[in-house]
């Protein structure tokens, strides 16, 4: 599952949870629940980790003088890894904010 698919699935689940918290009925497109949500987060973190590992490997190969690795490959891989990490941080920030909002709802 790509990080974009994971993020899309995560956002769908977050919207559904937010609407349920407000008392709005939401038609479910995909299975939701703790396992599905946890798996989505796990897949997203795994994807970011893989991209960072790949970028580090390319950097090491380039620094070691490997002629099959170009500087542009290293830069593109590094930028992809950085963008994925920044996206994951933003999702984390949104999750923390949503959690705080839910905790502040008065019963």
């Amino acid at each position: 599952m790509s990080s974009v698919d994971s993020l899309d699935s995560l956002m769908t689940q977050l919207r559904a949870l937010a609407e349920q918290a407000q008392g709005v009925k939401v038609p479910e497109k995909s299975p939701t629940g703790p396992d599905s949500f946890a798996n989505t987060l796990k897949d997203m973190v795994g994807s970011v980790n893989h991209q960072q590992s790949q970028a580090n490997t390319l950097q090491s190969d380039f620094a070691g003088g490997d002629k099959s690795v170009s500087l542009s490959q290293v830069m593109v891989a590094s930028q992809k890894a950085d963008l994925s990490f920044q996206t994951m941080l933003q999702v984390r920030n949104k999750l923390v904010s949503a959690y705080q909002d839910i905790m502040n709802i008065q019963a």
Side-chain angles (χ1 to χ4, degrees), residues 85-102:
F85 183 73
Q86 293 300 321
T87 302
M88 185 181 69
L89 282 178
Q90 292 301 319
V91 169
R92 183 212 56 181
N93 292 343
K94 292 289 185 181
L95 288 172
V96 169
S97 176
Y99 176 78
Q100 289 172 341
D101 288 346
I102 291 170

Side-chain angles (χ1 to χ4, degrees), residues 54-96:
Q54 188 178 21
N56 288 338
T57 300
L58 286 173
Q59 288 172 358
S60 297
D61 291 347
F62 183 77
D66 188 349
K67 300 294 181 187
S68 66
V69 178
S70 68
L71 179 59
S72 61
Q73 286 176 312
V74 173
M75 295 304 292
V76 168
S78 296
Q79 288 298 315
K80 282 183 180 180
D82 183 55
L83 185 59
S84 294
F85 183 73
Q86 293 300 321
T87 302
M88 185 181 69
L89 282 178
Q90 292 301 319
V91 169
R92 183 212 56 181
N93 292 343
K94 292 289 185 181
L95 288 172
V96 169

Side-chain angles (χ1 to χ4, degrees), residues 10-49:
L10 180 63
M11 293 306 295
T12 301
Q13 291 174 6
L14 284 175
R15 283 187 195 105
L17 289 172
E19 290 176 0
Q20 286 174 355
Q22 294 174 354
V24 176
K25 292 291 181 184
V26 178
E28 294 190 35
K29 290 190 224 176
S30 62
T32 60
D35 292 335
S36 177
F37 187 75
N39 288 337
T40 301
L41 286 176
K42 183 179 176 184
D43 291 344
M44 187 172 143
V45 171
S47 175
V48 170
N49 184 45

